[in-house]
Amino acid sequence: MYNKLDDALSRYVRPGTFPLAVRLTKPGETISDRTKRPQRDLGIKVAICQTFSMARKYGWQIAVGADDVNCPLALTAFGFKEETETFSCGEMCAGMFTATKTAGARTEAEVPRFNFKEYEYVLAAPLSRADFEPQVFLVYGNSAQIMRLMTAVLYKKGGYLTSKFSGRLDCADICIETMKTGQSQIILPCYGDRVFGQTQDDEMAMSLPVGIEDELIEGLEGTHKGGIRYPIPHFLRYTPEYPKHYYKLFDAWEKKEKTE
Protein backbone atom coordinates (compact mmCIF):
# COMPACT_ATOMS: atom_id res chain seq x y z
CA MET A 1 0.00 0.00 0.00
CA TYR A 2 2.79 2.39 0.93
CA ASN A 3 5.68 0.66 -0.83
CA LYS A 4 6.95 3.85 -2.47
CA LEU A 5 7.31 5.56 0.91
CA ASP A 6 8.87 2.45 2.44
CA ASP A 7 11.38 2.30 -0.42
CA ALA A 8 12.26 5.98 0.04
CA LEU A 9 12.80 5.52 3.78
CA SER A 10 14.98 2.48 3.14
CA ARG A 11 17.08 4.35 0.58
CA TYR A 12 17.49 7.72 2.27
CA VAL A 13 17.13 6.99 6.02
CA ARG A 14 18.08 3.29 6.27
CA PRO A 15 16.41 2.53 9.62
CA GLY A 16 17.56 -0.60 11.42
CA THR A 17 14.01 -1.75 12.14
CA PHE A 18 10.81 -1.72 10.08
CA PRO A 19 9.10 1.67 9.63
CA LEU A 20 5.57 1.23 10.96
CA ALA A 21 2.02 1.99 9.92
CA VAL A 22 -0.18 2.71 12.95
CA ARG A 23 -3.95 2.94 13.21
CA LEU A 24 -6.38 3.55 16.05
CA THR A 25 -9.49 1.51 15.29
CA LYS A 26 -13.01 2.56 16.19
CA PRO A 27 -15.28 0.21 18.15
CA GLY A 28 -16.61 -2.50 15.84
CA GLU A 29 -14.00 -1.91 13.16
CA THR A 30 -12.80 -5.15 11.58
CA ILE A 31 -9.23 -6.38 12.07
CA SER A 32 -7.84 -9.06 9.74
CA ASP A 33 -7.34 -12.63 10.94
CA ARG A 34 -3.57 -12.44 10.47
CA THR A 35 -3.30 -9.73 13.13
CA LYS A 36 -1.73 -10.98 16.34
CA ARG A 37 -3.25 -10.20 19.74
CA PRO A 38 -0.88 -10.52 22.72
CA GLN A 39 -3.43 -11.85 25.22
CA ARG A 40 -5.08 -14.26 22.80
CA ASP A 41 -2.05 -15.44 20.81
CA LEU A 42 0.89 -15.07 23.19
CA GLY A 43 -0.73 -15.37 26.60
CA ILE A 44 0.72 -12.06 27.78
CA LYS A 45 -0.31 -8.47 28.43
CA VAL A 46 1.95 -5.73 27.12
CA ALA A 47 2.73 -2.03 27.12
CA ILE A 48 1.89 -0.09 23.95
CA CYS A 49 5.56 0.84 23.44
CA GLN A 50 6.33 -2.88 23.66
CA THR A 51 3.76 -3.44 20.90
CA PHE A 52 5.61 -1.05 18.59
CA SER A 53 8.86 -2.88 19.29
CA MET A 54 7.28 -6.22 18.41
CA ALA A 55 5.99 -4.82 15.13
CA ARG A 56 9.20 -3.05 14.13
CA LYS A 57 11.59 -5.83 15.21
CA TYR A 58 9.57 -8.99 14.47
CA GLY A 59 7.73 -7.70 11.42
CA TRP A 60 4.35 -8.58 12.93
CA GLN A 61 0.98 -6.96 12.42
CA ILE A 62 -0.32 -6.63 15.95
CA ALA A 63 -3.31 -5.05 17.69
CA VAL A 64 -3.75 -4.21 21.36
CA GLY A 65 -6.84 -3.16 23.25
CA ALA A 66 -7.99 -3.01 26.85
CA ASP A 67 -7.60 -6.79 27.25
CA ASP A 68 -4.02 -6.77 25.94
CA VAL A 69 -2.51 -3.72 27.67
CA ASN A 70 -1.44 -3.75 31.31
CA CYS A 71 0.16 -0.28 31.49
CA PRO A 72 -2.30 1.76 33.60
CA LEU A 73 -1.02 5.07 32.22
CA ALA A 74 -1.48 4.00 28.59
CA LEU A 75 -4.90 2.51 29.34
CA THR A 76 -5.91 5.94 30.64
CA ALA A 77 -4.37 8.08 27.89
CA PHE A 78 -5.78 5.95 25.07
CA GLY A 79 -9.24 5.91 26.63
CA PHE A 80 -9.29 2.14 27.09
CA LYS A 81 -10.12 2.77 30.76
CA GLU A 82 -11.82 5.76 32.36
CA GLU A 83 -9.62 8.52 33.72
CA THR A 84 -9.77 8.74 37.50
CA GLU A 85 -8.69 11.26 40.12
CA THR A 86 -5.86 8.88 41.01
CA PHE A 87 -4.36 9.68 37.61
CA SER A 88 -5.20 13.37 37.28
CA CYS A 89 -4.11 14.31 40.83
CA GLY A 90 -0.47 13.61 39.97
CA GLU A 91 -0.01 10.61 42.24
CA MET A 92 1.39 8.50 39.39
CA CYS A 93 4.18 11.04 38.82
CA ALA A 94 4.98 12.06 42.39
CA GLY A 95 8.13 10.59 43.88
CA MET A 96 9.28 9.26 40.52
CA PHE A 97 9.07 11.89 37.79
CA THR A 98 8.09 14.87 39.93
CA ALA A 99 8.83 16.02 43.46
CA THR A 100 5.19 16.54 44.41
CA LYS A 101 1.67 15.55 43.41
CA THR A 102 1.03 19.17 42.43
CA ALA A 103 3.89 19.07 39.93
CA GLY A 104 2.72 15.63 38.80
CA ALA A 105 -0.77 16.97 38.17
CA ARG A 106 0.70 19.58 35.82
CA THR A 107 2.45 16.80 33.91
CA GLU A 108 -0.68 14.64 33.68
CA ALA A 109 -2.72 17.62 32.49
CA GLU A 110 -0.48 17.86 29.42
CA VAL A 111 -0.59 14.16 28.50
CA PRO A 112 -2.34 13.80 25.12
CA ARG A 113 -5.39 11.56 25.50
CA PHE A 114 -8.42 10.19 23.73
CA ASN A 115 -11.93 10.07 25.13
CA PHE A 116 -13.08 6.99 26.97
CA LYS A 117 -13.91 4.21 24.46
CA GLU A 118 -13.26 6.55 21.52
CA TYR A 119 -11.00 3.87 20.06
CA GLU A 120 -10.85 0.11 20.57
CA TYR A 121 -7.40 -1.00 19.38
CA VAL A 122 -3.94 0.29 18.56
CA LEU A 123 -2.98 -1.49 15.35
CA ALA A 124 0.64 -1.53 14.12
CA ALA A 125 2.50 -3.26 11.30
CA PRO A 126 5.55 -2.77 9.08
CA LEU A 127 4.71 -0.14 6.49
CA SER A 128 5.19 -2.50 3.56
CA ARG A 129 3.10 -5.29 5.13
CA ALA A 130 0.12 -3.49 6.67
CA ASP A 131 -3.29 -4.50 5.36
CA PHE A 132 -5.03 -1.46 6.86
CA GLU A 133 -5.18 2.28 6.22
CA PRO A 134 -2.86 3.95 8.77
CA GLN A 135 -3.24 7.30 10.49
CA VAL A 136 0.38 7.60 11.65
CA PHE A 137 3.78 6.51 10.35
CA LEU A 138 6.41 5.68 12.95
CA VAL A 139 10.16 5.42 12.30
CA TYR A 140 12.82 4.56 14.89
CA GLY A 141 16.48 5.29 14.25
CA ASN A 142 19.57 6.93 15.65
CA SER A 143 19.73 10.71 16.07
CA ALA A 144 21.39 11.18 12.66
CA GLN A 145 18.65 9.19 10.91
CA ILE A 146 15.90 11.13 12.66
CA MET A 147 17.63 14.38 11.78
CA ARG A 148 17.76 13.18 8.18
CA LEU A 149 14.03 12.46 8.25
CA MET A 150 13.27 15.79 9.92
CA THR A 151 15.03 17.75 7.18
CA ALA A 152 12.78 16.01 4.66
CA VAL A 153 9.68 17.06 6.61
CA LEU A 154 10.85 20.69 6.57
CA TYR A 155 12.07 20.70 2.95
CA LYS A 156 8.98 22.32 1.40
CA LYS A 157 7.75 24.52 4.26
CA GLY A 158 10.98 25.43 6.04
CA GLY A 159 11.04 26.66 9.62
CA TYR A 160 11.51 24.53 12.71
CA LEU A 161 9.81 21.40 13.97
CA THR A 162 8.44 21.70 17.50
CA SER A 163 7.90 18.69 19.75
CA LYS A 164 7.40 18.26 23.49
CA PHE A 165 8.84 15.68 25.87
CA SER A 166 8.24 14.49 29.40
CA GLY A 167 10.22 11.25 29.68
CA ARG A 168 7.04 9.19 30.01
CA LEU A 169 4.10 7.99 27.90
CA ASP A 170 5.83 8.40 24.54
CA CYS A 171 3.11 6.15 23.10
CA ALA A 172 0.70 9.06 23.62
CA ASP A 173 3.11 11.44 21.89
CA ILE A 174 3.45 9.03 18.96
CA CYS A 175 -0.23 8.36 18.36
CA ILE A 176 -2.44 10.86 20.13
CA GLU A 177 -0.39 14.04 19.73
CA THR A 178 0.31 13.34 16.07
CA MET A 179 -3.31 12.49 15.28
CA LYS A 180 -4.74 15.48 17.15
CA THR A 181 -2.31 18.09 15.81
CA GLY A 182 -1.73 16.65 12.34
CA GLN A 183 1.94 17.52 12.84
CA SER A 184 5.05 15.35 12.80
CA GLN A 185 6.64 14.74 16.18
CA ILE A 186 10.22 14.01 17.20
CA ILE A 187 9.94 11.26 19.83
CA LEU A 188 12.36 11.03 22.74
CA PRO A 189 11.76 7.46 23.91
CA CYS A 190 10.36 7.43 27.40
CA TYR A 191 11.54 5.42 30.39
CA GLY A 192 8.96 2.69 29.79
CA ASP A 193 9.85 2.42 26.11
CA ARG A 194 13.45 1.74 27.14
CA VAL A 195 12.52 -0.77 29.87
CA PHE A 196 9.62 -2.65 28.24
CA GLY A 197 10.04 -1.79 24.55
CA GLN A 198 13.79 -2.39 24.95
CA THR A 199 14.48 0.70 22.86
CA GLN A 200 18.22 1.31 22.95
CA ASP A 201 20.12 4.35 24.23
CA ASP A 202 21.10 5.36 20.69
CA GLU A 203 17.53 5.27 19.35
CA MET A 204 15.00 8.03 18.84
CA ALA A 205 11.82 8.04 16.78
CA MET A 206 9.65 10.22 14.60
CA SER A 207 5.92 10.01 14.10
CA LEU A 208 4.37 11.45 10.95
CA PRO A 209 0.71 12.01 10.05
CA VAL A 210 -0.69 10.18 7.07
CA GLY A 211 -1.24 12.49 4.13
CA ILE A 212 2.30 13.85 3.81
CA GLU A 213 3.71 10.87 1.90
CA ASP A 214 4.34 12.67 -1.43
CA GLU A 215 5.76 15.74 0.30
CA LEU A 216 7.98 13.54 2.48
CA ILE A 217 9.34 11.58 -0.47
CA GLU A 218 10.01 14.84 -2.32
CA GLY A 219 11.77 16.12 0.79
CA LEU A 220 13.93 13.02 1.08
CA GLU A 221 14.89 13.24 -2.59
CA GLY A 222 15.44 17.01 -2.52
CA THR A 223 17.60 17.07 0.59
CA HIS A 224 19.61 14.10 -0.72
CA LYS A 225 20.25 16.00 -3.95
CA GLY A 226 21.24 19.03 -1.87
CA GLY A 227 23.88 17.01 -0.03
CA ILE A 228 22.08 15.93 3.16
CA ARG A 229 22.87 12.22 3.26
CA TYR A 230 22.75 9.19 5.51
CA PRO A 231 25.15 7.68 6.40
CA ILE A 232 26.58 11.11 7.18
CA PRO A 233 29.57 11.72 4.84
CA HIS A 234 32.54 12.65 7.02
CA PHE A 235 34.97 15.29 5.82
CA LEU A 236 38.22 13.43 5.13
CA ARG A 237 40.19 15.81 2.89
CA TYR A 238 42.74 17.00 5.46
CA THR A 239 46.34 16.33 6.38
CA PRO A 240 46.64 14.39 9.66
CA GLU A 241 49.01 15.41 12.45
CA TYR A 242 51.03 12.93 14.53
CA PRO A 243 53.09 12.88 17.75
CA LYS A 244 56.23 15.01 17.34
CA HIS A 245 58.62 12.10 17.69
CA TYR A 246 57.05 10.43 14.63
CA TYR A 247 58.52 13.17 12.47
CA LYS A 248 62.03 12.03 13.38
CA LEU A 249 61.53 9.39 10.71
CA PHE A 250 61.25 12.12 8.08
CA ASP A 251 64.50 13.61 9.40
CA ALA A 252 66.17 10.19 9.20
CA TRP A 253 64.95 9.65 5.63
CA GLU A 254 66.14 13.09 4.63
CA LYS A 255 69.63 12.52 6.08
CA LYS A 256 69.84 9.13 4.36
CA GLU A 257 68.86 10.65 1.00
CA LYS A 258 71.59 13.30 1.38
CA THR A 259 74.29 10.70 2.03
CA GLU A 260 73.36 8.46 -0.87
Side-chain angles (χ1 to χ4, degrees):
M1 188 187 307
Y2 290 96
N3 287 337
K4 186 177 179 181
L5 175 58
D6 191 60
D7 289 345
L9 291 170
S10 295
R11 178 179 180 184
Y12 297 115
V13 182
R14 304 186 184 192
T17 58
F18 293 109
L20 297 182
V22 179
R23 180 176 181 81
L24 274 293
T25 69
K26 291 285 188 179
E29 191 172 328
T30 301
I31 294 175
S32 69
D33 291 339
R34 74 179 183 88
T35 306
K36 294 185 185 296
R37 293 283 308 281
Q39 174 69 2
R40 181 192 68 194
D41 300 324
L42 305 175
I44 59 173
K45 290 179 179 284
V46 297
I48 290 178
C49 54
Q50 186 180 352
T51 303
F52 294 148
S53 288
M54 286 179 173
R56 71 186 179 94
K57 293 179 180 182
Y58 292 168
W60 289 353
Q61 180 162 300
I62 186 167
V64 294
D67 293 339
D68 303 287
V69 176
N70 76 335
C71 174
L73 304 183
L75 286 167
T76 300
F78 280 78
F80 293 154
K81 296 288 186 181
E82 289 188 87
E83 183 175 337
T84 68
E85 175 63 18
T86 306
F87 177 86
S88 58
C89 74
E91 183 178 346
M92 299 299 101
C93 270
M96 186 176 184
F97 287 94
T98 60
T100 64
K101 286 174 63 173
T102 300
R106 294 193 192 102
T107 299
E108 303 298 27
E110 291 199 37
V111 173
R113 47 185 45 78
F114 289 130
N115 296 326
F116 179 48
K117 292 187 176 181
E118 183 176 356
Y119 294 99
E120 189 171 16
Y121 296 109
V122 180
L123 181 58
L127 188 54
S128 60
R129 303 178 184 179
D131 64 8
F132 56 87
E133 185 69 34
Q135 295 145 331
V136 173
F137 304 122
L138 175 60
V139 182
Y140 277 75
N142 60 41
S143 63
Q145 290 169 312
I146 298 306
M147 179 276 294
R148 177 71 188 86
L149 187 54
M150 182 194 68
T151 61
V153 170
L154 297 176
Y155 181 68
K156 292 291 292 291
K157 61 185 178 182
Y160 274 56
L161 187 68
T162 301
S163 300
K164 60 181 186 178
F165 318 102
S166 72
R168 60 201 293 273
L169 274 170
D170 70 350
C171 56
D173 299 332
I174 290 166
C175 297
I176 307 173
E177 185 74 11
T178 304
M179 287 174 62
K180 286 197 166 188
T181 65
Q183 300 296 318
S184 300
Q185 305 291 320
I186 298 290
I187 305 299
L188 180 64
C190 71
Y191 195 74
D193 197 347
R194 299 170 192 275
V195 173
F196 304 115
Q198 299 187 33
T199 294
Q200 299 300 296
D201 289 354
D202 63 347
E203 289 184 295
M204 298 179 66
M206 191 166 187
S207 57
L208 308 109
V210 166
I212 68 166
E213 301 88 89
D214 291 340
E215 183 177 321
L216 182 60
I217 292 169
E218 183 180 351
L220 288 167
E221 293 172 345
T223 49
H224 179 86
K225 185 177 180 180
I228 310 300
R229 309 286 175 87
Y230 187 83
I232 305 299
H234 295 165
F235 182 80
L236 293 170
R237 289 174 291 175
Y238 58 86
T239 301
E241 294 186 3
Y242 307 99
K244 288 183 179 180
H245 69 281
Y246 281 25
Y247 294 96
K248 290 181 179 180
L249 285 170
F250 288 105
D251 294 336
W253 290 326
E254 185 177 356
K255 288 179 182 178
K256 185 176 181 181
E257 288 173 358
K258 287 180 177 178
T259 60
E260 289 178 350

